[in-house]
Every structure is written in structure tokens, then in C-alpha cells.
Amino acid sequence: MKVATINELKTELSALPPAELVELCLRLAKFKKESKELLTYLLLESHSLDGYIASVQEYIALEFDGMTTTHLYHAKKTLRKILRITNKHIRFTGSKQAEIELLLFFCRKMRRCGIQIDRSVQLTNLYVQQLRKIEKALETLHEDLQYDYRKQLDTLTFA
């Protein structure tokens, strides 16, 4: 089966009556949890980006608090899980500012969680990769915001 392009889907959706469009959205949300989460964000939480970022940060903090640091293997798995969830919420917002704030928060929590990042090549690479993503997103923001976020980013880089 050939999958339609975004443009084709857009034209088809614009031709549908509103009631049928609602039915399609609900049917789509039934099949995949991520679709339901995205629909929840778009309908209920997209009007307050700061509140959404705060709730995601709270969730990330809870996940870090529940992380076990006794075994490096389990810590790595948990960090990857937290990062996967963080990236999902970044995709939902589609905002570079939200991306920077959430990744800065993730990196801060990662530095403070008690794991020695430099003991593991994988964790070092994961951390440095997030710093690069923040750098790349910073380039798209206004100069004033860049300055504020760059100061925060400088505190997270390795000495």
C-alpha cells in the first residue's frame, strides 16, 4: 500500500465536513498512544507552552529521582528512556525554545544525578550529543535569548 503525501492528506482533510474530521481524529487516537498524547497536547496544552514545559520538567525530575545509580547498566537504560520521552515532548511542541529548555533541564539533572558521566563512553557521548543539539537550536533563536541560554549552557560544558 502506498502512503499518501502530506499535501494529499491536507487536501483530503480540508474537503471533509467537521463532524467527519472529528471522527477521523478520534479513530486515529485509538490506535496509537503517541497519537493520543499528541492530540491531548494540541487540544488541551498547546495554549500554554510555559506550563507544558514545566509539567514535562516535573515528569523528568520524577524519573531522575526514581533512577537507580548503583548499576551503571540500569542507569544508562533509564537515561535513554528519559531522553526518549523528552525528545517526544520536544517533537510535540515544535518549538526551539522548548527544545532548549527541556534539553538544558535534562543535562542539568544528568550532571546532578550522582552518576559519573566520564566513567562511561556511552554516557559521555549521550551528554555531549545533547549539548550539540542545544547549540544547534540556539542558532535559530533571537540574540537576547541566545545570550541567556548560552550562559546556562556554559555551566554544563565539561571543564
Side-chain angles (χ1 to χ4, degrees):
M1 182 178 144
K2 182 184 162 223
V3 179
T5 66
I6 295 292
N7 224 3
E8 292 171 344
L9 291 174
K10 183 178 178 183
T11 55
E12 288 297 318
L13 287 172
S14 63
L16 291 177
E20 202 171 323
L21 194 58
V22 168
E23 287 299 318
L24 282 176
C25 287
L26 290 175
R27 187 168 176 206
L28 181 66
K30 285 181 187 178
F31 285 104
K32 191 135 173 133
K33 182 182 176 189
E34 193 168 305
S35 297
K36 188 186 287 186
E37 290 172 341
L38 176 60
L39 200 55
T40 301
Y41 166 74
L42 292 172
L43 294 175
L44 305 175
E45 298 169 348
S46 63
H47 61 279
S48 172
L49 186 61
D50 292 335
Y52 184 70
I53 290 171
S55 68
V56 172
Q57 287 176 342
E58 185 178 313
Y59 180 78
I60 292 170
L62 286 174
E63 289 291 319
F64 268 102
D65 291 343
M67 183 171 63
T68 176
T69 58
T70 54
H71 298 312
L72 195 59
Y73 173 77
H74 295 297
K76 286 181 202 175
K77 285 184 67 93
T78 306
L79 282 172
R80 283 192 220 107
K81 175 187 169 200
I82 295 169
L83 184 59
R84 194 171 48 250
I85 291 168
T86 303
N87 286 329
K88 177 179 67 172
H89 289 287
I90 289 170
R91 280 193 323 271
F92 285 175
T93 63
S95 162
K96 291 296 182 184
Q97 188 173 352
E99 177 179 358
I100 292 169
E101 286 192 33
L102 290 175
L103 288 178
L104 281 171
F105 186 78
F106 174 83
C107 289
R108 259 187 252 117
K109 292 300 273 185
M110 190 172 167
R111 288 291 292 258
R112 294 182 190 145
C113 70
I115 298 173
Q116 293 178 340
I117 298 169
D118 51 348
R119 264 185 40 203
S120 166
V121 174
Q122 294 94 349
L123 288 181
T124 303
N125 289 341
L126 183 127
Y127 185 78
V128 169
Q129 185 180 24
Q130 300 319 304
L131 294 178
R132 284 189 197 131
K133 284 171 75 174
I134 294 169
E135 277 284 341
K136 188 174 179 184
L138 264 176
E139 295 171 1
T140 64
L141 292 181
H142 188 268
E143 292 173 8
D144 294 337
L145 288 173
Q146 280 186 18
Y147 178 75
D148 294 337
Y149 286 129
R150 185 141 339 259
K151 284 194 325 191
Q152 293 179 37
L153 181 63
D154 290 342
T155 64
L156 295 173
T157 55
F158 289 115

